[in-house]
């Protein structure tokens, strides 16, 4: 018992948070995210450090040597929400110490050396703990009247021995919901009405010891009954070895509002227990709880409670944690009429190994029976002295957790006698499975958590089960036929196992809640979740998630409102570079994780590039160049086969004539007749192209069968696409065989800069090669014809020059000299 009195102070902060939940209020007042939390406890600090981050919301400096908090110590923490300064020897708090912390909602100053209850100007304060400080009086400062949102107050001092009406006046208009009062010592004086002015009180924890002044105890209880208080918890109500000769509970019979009584960490004799229950049965209490009590049987007959001549309101009785002062079974003799209206009964942590079944099982109204944390097994619960018929006529929930049961088939057989049983808890036992189990159809909830069962357990369960808890049972695989095994399954708990994946083919059409946290799941896929169309709650934290594309859908598309533990329990495990990172902080490569979108983007880029290229090609005569490229390839292939043709072959034509159709009159009337009279063989497309052959092939053949290619250049020539083709093929042929077979006749002046883009090569050729110009003067035309004929008649260039010179000399006398 001394151990519990030592542990209690340590639990006060947790108690404050738990109290909020009990009151149905929001407990998440302050952020607990790592980036907003600063824990400097146990650092041998003598003052609060400066230059702290302004983003801190949760700040703990407990277990240091901070004697004072003054203005400026916390001025930088403008977003501070939770401050814990316990076990620091704190003696002084200045009036303006918290002037910069207007957002503070929780303040814990317990276990210090404050001799005065500090003035606090914190308009958002919800929870305040001032317990275990040596202030001599419970008088609250007037500033407490401005703590409009204060809902929980813990106050207690070993040096304060009296309570006056004026002490709590500042809280008259405050909606205080819970009061934790006292510090484990006995009061010497209590002024009636001191607590009754706290009209909004809903729950009270009274940490005051009574052994003599039971009138104070009665007055305090009656005051609380005049508020809205429903629950009262009496911590260490009597000191150890206290002799009580009077009835300290006489005031209970006059209660009208109080409905829940808890007695915690208290030494209690059997004689006092009898007095307590005699008054409880006459009171308004509907639930009585005993937590961690030391029971001493100080009367020879033990606990004797005969029939009472009145009705009782008691509906629930809890005995959780009993330390027997004597080493023998206690004696209880209770009239059945006093317990016949109980609906909830709990005997936990009592050391029970044999169930008084004929007493408990006969309670007609009992619906919930909790026998957890005892020493029961099959032979102790269903022993030979128990009737097997008409037992537990109304029982719906039975908890046998933390006992010594092991035979699942035997348990299944015996619960068939409990005709209304719906829920059975067998967690934390030593359950084994080796025989078929035959479960009653009315049992729909079963917990087998923390038993070493393995994957075979699913075959031993009932198809009628709607809620199954198999947490920490050694399961590694979820059966794919779970829907057919349990067609009505709505709740499935598989926490703390070795499951690596949620199968994509898994179907549980009625499932509402799935817990798969603390397993080996690395990702949750969209297809696996499609098997749970009615899912409302998913708990999957503390798994080794991989932060890669496998988790992309879960991170971006899954409805996080279904996750009861998001985001605090989700972190990356792989790859190593992201290990420990919060899942929600992982910045994934959005595009790289969507193959469909990647393909769409690639196609779009290709389309845009292709379109841009097509426009560019079209604007730059790319179609023509493409055709030329194809034909050039054909020419190149032919060139490899016919590289030596010009040196060794006999040509069919002296020249292939390339000209525009617009220049056909000059070609037909002058060029062709003149050259052919000289014995030259010419290839003219209108006359010599082979009918039925493709034009390009005709051009190629004629160019290859001709010694020279004669181009009649004019403005019409450079506008003709076919002329350009012919020039291209002839030039390619000249390059392939390394000869000079191109002859240019300029029929009319053509400015080189005016040539179209497709004739850029011609522009270069005209700048690099000598060409013949058709003169307008008839006398010069004779020289033109001589030059042209000479070029077309022989391969030897020296001979060409000689013939040209001779012809010029012969013609010179014919040319008149200008005067």
């Amino acid at each position: 018992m001394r151990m519990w009195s030592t542990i209690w102070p340590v639990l006060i902060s947790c108690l404050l948070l738990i109290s909020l939940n009990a009151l149905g209020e929001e407990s998440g007042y302050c952020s607990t995210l790592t980036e907003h939390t600063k824990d400097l406890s146990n650092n041998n600090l003598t003052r609060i450090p400066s230059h702290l981050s302004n983003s801190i919301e949760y700040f703990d400096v407990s277990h240091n040597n901070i004697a004072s908090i003054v203005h400026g110590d916390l001025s930088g923490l403008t977003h501070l929400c939770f401050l814990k300064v316990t076990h620091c020897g704190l003696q002084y708090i200045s009036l303006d110490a918290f002037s910069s912390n207007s957002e503070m909602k929780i303040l814990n100053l317990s276990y210090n050396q404050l001799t005065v209850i500090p003035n606090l100007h914190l308009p958002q304060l919800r929870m305040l703990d001032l317990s275990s400080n040596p202030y001599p009086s419970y008088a609250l400062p007037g500033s407490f009247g401005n703590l409009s949102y204060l809902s929980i107050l813990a106050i207690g001092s070993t040096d304060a021995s009296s309570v006056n009406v004026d002490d709590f006046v500042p809280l008259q208009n405050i909606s205080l919901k819970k009061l934790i009062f006292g510090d484990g010592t006995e009061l010497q004086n209590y002024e009636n009405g001191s607590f009754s002015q706290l009209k909004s009180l809903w729950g009270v924890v009274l940490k005051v010891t009574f052994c003599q002044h039971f009138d104070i105890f009665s007055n305090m209880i009656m005051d609380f009954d005049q508020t809205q208080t429903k629950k009262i918890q009496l911590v260490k109500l009597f000191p150890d070895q206290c002799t009580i000769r009077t009835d300290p509970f006489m005031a209970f019979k006059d209660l009208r509002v109080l409905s829940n009584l808890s007695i915690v960490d208290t030494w209690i004799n059997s004689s006092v227990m009898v007095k307590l229950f005699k008054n409880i049965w006459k009171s308004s209490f509907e639930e009585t709880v005993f937590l961690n009590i030391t029971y001493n049987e100080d009367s020879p007959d033990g606990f004797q409670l005969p029939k009472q001549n009145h009705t009782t309101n008691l509906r629930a009785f809890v005995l959780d944690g009993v330390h027997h002062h004597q080493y023998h079974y206690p004696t209880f003799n209770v009239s059945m009429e006093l317990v016949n209206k109980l609906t909830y009964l709990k005997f936990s942590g009592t050391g029970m190994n044999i169930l008084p079944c004929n007493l408990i099982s006969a309670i007609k109204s009992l619906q919930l029976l909790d026998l957890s944390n005892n020493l029961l097994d099959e032979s102790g619960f269903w022993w030979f002295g128990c009737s097997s018929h008409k037992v537990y006529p109304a029982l719906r929930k039975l908890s046998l957790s933390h006992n010594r049961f092991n035979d699942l088939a035997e348990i299944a057989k015996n619960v068939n006698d409990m005709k209304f049983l719906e829920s059975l808890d067998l967690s934390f036992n030593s359950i084994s499975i080796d025989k078929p189990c035959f479960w009653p159809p009315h049992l729909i909830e079963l917990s087998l958590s923390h038993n070493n069962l393995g994957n075979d357990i699913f075959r031993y369960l009932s198809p009628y089960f709607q809620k199954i808890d198999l947490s920490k049972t050694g399961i590694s695989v979820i059966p794919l036929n779970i829907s057919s095994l349990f067609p009505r399954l709505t709740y499935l708990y598989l926490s703390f196992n070795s499951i690596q994946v949620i199968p994509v083919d898994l179907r549980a059409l009625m499932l509402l809640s799935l817990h798969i946290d603390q397993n080996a799941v690395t990702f949750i896929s969209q297809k696996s979740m499609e098997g749970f169309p009615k899912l409302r709650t998913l708990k999957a934290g503390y798994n080794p998630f991989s932060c890669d594309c496998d988790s992309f859908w879960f991170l971006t598309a899954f409805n996080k409102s279904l996750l009861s533990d998001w985001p605090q329990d989700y972190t990356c495990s792989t790859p190593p570079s992201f290990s420990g990172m919060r899942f929600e902080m992982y910045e994934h490569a959005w595009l790289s994780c969507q193959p469909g979108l990647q393909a769409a983007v690639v196609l779009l880029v290709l389309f845009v590039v292709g379109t841009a290229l097509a426009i560019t090609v079209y604007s730059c005569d790319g179609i023509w160049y493409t055709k030329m490229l194809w034909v050039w390839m054909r020419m190149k292939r032919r060139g490899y086969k016919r590289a030596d043709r010009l040196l060794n072959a006999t040509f069919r034509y002296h020249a292939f004539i390339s000209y525009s159709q617009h220049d056909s009159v000059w070609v037909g009337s002058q060029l062709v007749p003149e050259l052919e009279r000289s014995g030259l063989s010419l290839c003219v497309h209108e006359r010599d192209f082979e009918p039925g052959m493709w034009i390009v092939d005709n051009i190629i053949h004629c160019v290859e069968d001709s010694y020279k290619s004669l181009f009649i250049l004019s403005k019409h020539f450079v506008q003709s696409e076919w002329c350009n083709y012919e020039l291209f093929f002839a030039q390619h042929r000249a390059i392939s065989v390394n000869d000079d077979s191109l002859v240019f006749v300029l029929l009319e002046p053509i400015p080189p800069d005016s040539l179209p883009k497709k004739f850029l090569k011609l522009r270069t050729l005209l700048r690099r090669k000598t060409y013949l110009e058709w003169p307008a003067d008839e006398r010069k035309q004779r020289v033109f014809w001589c030059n042209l004929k000479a070029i077309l008649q022989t391969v030897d260039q020296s001979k060409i020059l000689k013939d040209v010179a001779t012809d010029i000399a012969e013609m010179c006398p014919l040319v008149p000299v200008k005067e």
Side-chain angles (χ1 to χ4, degrees):
M1 170 162 146
R2 295 183 183 274
M3 177 185 70
W4 283 99
S5 61
T6 304
I7 292 176
W8 178 258
V10 181
L11 299 178
I12 189 67
S13 296
C14 294
L15 178 61
L16 291 176
L17 292 174
I18 293 171
S19 299
L20 273 179
N21 287 329
L23 290 169
E25 298 182 14
E26 180 183 3
S27 59
Y29 283 139
C30 303
S31 171
T32 56
L33 297 177
T34 304
E35 57 267 29
H36 301 311
T37 300
K38 190 70 173 180
D39 186 355
L40 295 178
S41 59
N42 293 289
N43 272 268
N44 294 318
L45 301 175
T46 57
R47 59 168 297 173
I48 296 176
S50 57
H51 308 297
L52 295 170
S53 172
N54 185 48
S55 65
I56 294 177
E57 297 183 27
Y58 184 103
F59 190 34
D60 185 356
V61 290
S62 302
H63 297 276
N64 284 293
N65 298 306
I66 301 173
S68 63
I69 301 177
V70 297
H71 178 69
D73 287 348
L74 298 169
S75 59
L77 306 181
T78 56
H79 298 293
L80 188 63
C81 179
F82 180 103
L83 177 61
K84 184 179 180 182
V85 191
T86 66
H87 301 89
C88 286
L90 185 64
Q91 301 176 21
Y92 173 71
I93 299 176
S94 67
L95 290 174
D96 54 358
F98 304 121
S99 58
S100 301
N101 313 117
S102 59
E103 296 182 15
M104 190 182 300
K105 295 181 177 65
I106 302 175
L107 177 60
N108 190 346
L109 300 173
S110 60
Y111 299 96
N112 282 297
Q113 298 299 318
L114 294 173
T115 57
V116 176
I117 297 177
N119 272 284
L120 298 174
H121 301 278
L122 297 170
Q124 299 296 321
L125 194 65
R126 264 72 167 174
M127 300 170 58
L128 174 62
D129 188 354
L130 296 170
S131 60
S132 299
N133 278 281
Y135 36 80
S137 169
Y138 285 114
L140 300 179
S143 61
F144 275 51
N146 297 319
L147 303 179
S148 304
Y149 295 99
L150 187 65
S151 60
I152 296 180
L153 172 64
I155 186 170
S157 170
T158 55
D159 292 358
S161 59
S162 63
V163 177
N164 299 316
V165 171
D166 294 338
D167 292 346
F168 291 92
V169 167
L171 298 180
Q172 278 184 336
N173 298 317
I174 303 299
S175 298
L176 191 69
K177 295 294 188 297
K178 185 158 189 174
L179 175 66
I180 303 171
F181 179 82
D183 199 31
T185 57
E186 189 166 4
L187 289 177
Q188 301 299 318
N189 180 59
Y190 175 80
E191 193 170 350
N192 291 347
S194 296
F195 288 136
S196 61
Q197 57 192 323
L198 306 178
K199 298 298 183 181
S200 299
L201 273 183
W202 191 86
V204 174
V205 176
L206 198 59
K207 298 170 60 180
V208 179
T209 295
F210 299 95
C211 191
Q212 297 178 358
H213 303 284
F214 291 114
D215 56 328
I216 294 178
F217 174 67
S218 298
N219 291 334
M220 294 175 71
I221 293 295
M222 294 307 300
D223 272 3
F224 287 128
D225 192 59
Q226 294 179 42
T227 66
Q228 299 180 31
T229 303
K230 298 290 184 181
K231 297 184 178 182
I232 185 167
Q233 188 175 86
L234 307 176
V235 181
K236 201 171 178 58
L237 180 60
F238 306 122
D240 297 354
Q241 308 296 336
C242 175
T243 301
I244 302 174
R245 294 185 172 85
T246 61
D247 185 352
F249 309 106
M250 292 182 63
F252 284 8
K253 64 180 182 299
D254 298 322
L255 298 178
R256 296 293 179 268
V257 178
L258 283 168
S259 59
N260 186 303
L261 171 67
S262 297
I263 298 179
V264 181
D265 194 16
T266 296
W267 174 292
I268 190 166
N269 295 323
S270 59
S271 58
V272 177
M273 183 77 83
V274 170
K275 296 175 183 178
L276 173 61
F277 272 94
K278 284 183 177 180
N279 288 283
I280 286 177
W281 257 286
K282 300 175 183 178
S283 71
S284 59
F285 287 121
E286 298 177 2
E287 180 177 352
T288 301
V289 179
F290 293 90
L291 299 176
N292 302 301
I293 66 169
T294 299
Y295 180 73
N296 175 41
E297 205 165 77
D298 64 344
S299 55
D301 297 328
F303 183 82
Q304 299 288 327
L305 195 61
K307 179 180 178 180
Q308 305 292 312
N309 294 323
H310 53 76
T311 58
T312 178
N313 294 308
L314 194 64
R315 297 293 182 270
F317 177 72
V318 175
L319 190 59
D320 191 353
V322 179
H323 307 277
H324 299 282
H325 186 64
Q326 293 93 355
Y327 290 97
H328 62 77
Y329 288 111
T331 302
F332 289 93
N333 186 5
V334 181
S335 172
M336 282 298 300
E337 295 183 5
L338 298 179
V339 297
N340 252 344
K341 291 186 178 180
L342 287 179
T343 58
Y344 175 49
L345 181 61
K346 178 176 181 178
F347 285 107
S348 179
T350 64
M352 180 190 300
N353 61 359
I354 296 179
L355 178 70
C357 53
N358 288 333
L359 171 64
I360 296 178
S361 66
I363 301 177
K364 297 179 180 179
S365 58
L366 189 62
Q367 298 182 20
L368 287 82
L369 176 60
D370 187 346
L371 299 174
S372 60
N373 196 21
N374 285 298
L375 304 175
L376 292 168
D377 57 14
E378 290 83 0
S379 61
F381 189 84
W382 290 285
W383 59 295
F384 65 89
C386 294
S387 171
S388 60
H389 301 287
K390 297 182 180 180
V391 295
Y392 307 105
L395 190 64
R396 297 186 179 277
K397 292 187 177 182
L398 173 62
S399 175
L400 300 176
S401 175
H402 288 87
N403 277 283
R404 298 179 177 181
F405 293 92
N406 61 77
D407 192 340
L408 190 62
E410 181 69 16
I411 296 171
K413 173 186 174 183
N414 286 316
V415 296
N416 275 274
D417 293 330
M418 303 177 184
K419 301 302 181 182
F420 295 96
L421 188 66
E422 297 176 350
S423 176
L424 176 62
D425 185 357
L426 294 172
S427 60
F428 293 93
N429 277 281
S430 302
I431 300 296
S432 60
I433 47 175
D434 54 5
K435 293 179 290 185
C437 299
F438 301 96
W439 300 96
H442 49 78
L443 185 66
I444 58 176
E445 298 180 7
L446 177 65
S447 174
L448 289 170
S449 67
H450 294 79
N451 286 283
N452 189 19
L453 301 171
N455 294 327
D456 291 337
I457 182 58
F458 292 99
R459 298 190 293 110
Y460 294 86
L461 302 182
S462 167
Y464 299 103
F465 287 160
Q466 299 177 17
K467 184 176 183 179
I468 302 175
D469 188 351
L470 295 175
S471 300
K472 203 169 185 179
T473 52
I475 293 174
S476 59
V477 177
I478 306 176
L480 294 178
N481 62 337
I482 195 169
S483 182
S484 59
L485 289 175
F486 314 107
R488 304 177 183 179
L489 186 64
T490 54
Y491 296 87
L492 180 60
Y493 304 135
L494 299 172
S495 308
F496 296 94
N497 280 297
S498 304
I499 299 169
Q500 297 182 359
V501 65
I502 304 176
V504 295
D505 297 328
L506 187 63
R507 295 291 180 269
L509 304 182
M510 303 299 293
L511 196 66
L512 299 177
S513 180
L514 173 64
H515 288 198
I516 198 167
D517 53 306
Q518 298 277 8
N519 275 274
V521 177
T522 57
F523 68 93
I524 298 175
S525 68
Q526 181 179 5
K527 289 187 176 180
S528 63
M529 289 294 100
E530 288 175 354
F532 315 125
K534 293 187 177 181
L535 193 67
R536 296 294 176 266
T537 303
L538 175 65
K539 188 176 182 182
Y542 294 109
N543 274 294
F545 288 107
S546 57
C547 286
D548 52 26
C549 289
D550 288 337
S551 299
F552 176 76
W553 173 84
F554 181 74
L555 272 172
T556 59
F558 185 75
N559 184 5
K560 302 303 186 300
S561 65
L562 302 182
L563 300 175
S564 60
D565 51 352
W566 177 269
Q568 66 275 7
D569 295 345
Y570 294 78
T571 57
C572 299
S573 180
T574 57
S577 57
F578 295 109
S579 181
M581 178 187 293
R582 291 175 68 93
F583 215 15
E584 64 174 347
M585 303 299 293
Y586 169 61
E587 296 181 357
H588 47 275
W590 183 74
L591 182 60
S592 65
C593 292
Q594 300 190 83
L597 189 57
Q598 286 182 35
V601 170
V602 170
L603 291 175
L604 179 61
V605 171
L606 290 177
F607 175 76
V608 172
V609 172
T611 302
L613 184 60
I615 294 174
T616 303
V617 168
Y618 181 80
S619 62
C620 298
D621 290 319
I623 297 176
W624 184 87
Y625 284 111
T626 302
K627 292 180 180 179
M628 289 296 99
L629 176 63
W630 181 80
V631 175
W632 176 83
M633 292 174 63
R634 295 182 63 195
M635 292 286 291
K636 192 72 175 177
R637 185 179 63 180
R638 292 187 181 190
Y640 287 127
K641 297 179 180 180
R642 305 178 183 181
D644 300 328
R645 181 176 177 185
L646 289 179
L647 297 177
N648 303 319
T650 301
F651 295 104
R652 181 179 177 185
Y653 304 106
H654 286 88
F656 167 69
I657 303 176
S658 176
Y659 61 93
S660 170
Q661 192 65 31
H662 295 282
D663 302 321
S664 60
V665 174
W666 180 84
V667 171
S669 62
Q670 297 195 51
L671 178 66
V672 173
E674 180 68 27
L675 295 179
E676 287 187 341
R677 277 197 299 268
S678 301
L680 296 176
S681 176
L682 303 177
C683 179
V684 182
H685 72 269
E686 292 178 339
R687 181 185 67 190
D688 299 313
F689 273 11
E690 183 178 341
M693 184 181 291
W694 187 37
I695 295 177
V696 173
D697 286 338
N698 269 316
I699 294 173
I700 293 173
H701 289 154
C702 290
V703 170
E704 291 178 344
D705 290 342
S706 301
Y707 171 56
K708 297 288 184 179
S709 294
L710 179 60
F711 294 92
I712 310 303
L713 304 182
S714 67
K715 294 179 181 179
H716 299 299
F717 181 94
V718 298
Q719 298 298 326
S720 172
E721 184 173 346
W722 288 111
C723 292
N724 195 26
Y725 282 147
E726 293 166 352
L727 175 62
F728 175 81
F729 299 147
Q731 182 189 1
H732 174 75
R733 177 251 190 161
I735 294 173
S736 300
V737 298
N738 195 23
D739 76 339
D740 189 13
S741 60
L742 304 181
V743 179
F744 296 101
V745 173
L746 193 61
L747 193 60
E748 58 183 347
I750 304 175
D753 295 336
S754 67
L755 294 176
K757 293 180 181 178
K758 64 177 71 177
F759 282 93
L760 292 178
K761 189 64 179 178
L762 178 60
R763 183 188 304 173
T764 303
L765 289 172
L766 292 177
R767 288 174 179 172
R768 292 172 55 189
K769 295 178 69 71
T770 301
Y771 53 86
L772 299 176
E773 292 187 52
W774 171 251
D777 192 333
E778 291 185 1
R779 288 170 296 181
K780 293 182 179 180
Q781 290 178 2
R782 296 188 61 185
V783 177
F784 169 83
W785 291 120
C786 290
N787 288 337
L788 182 58
K789 292 175 184 178
I791 292 173
L792 298 179
Q793 282 177 340
T794 180
V795 179
D796 188 351
Q797 292 186 0
S798 61
K799 185 175 184 304
I800 294 173
L801 294 176
K802 181 178 179 180
D803 293 343
V804 170
T806 301
D807 290 341
I808 293 175
E810 293 177 351
M811 293 172 56
C812 283
L814 302 176
V815 178
V817 180
K818 291 185 177 180
E819 301 259 338

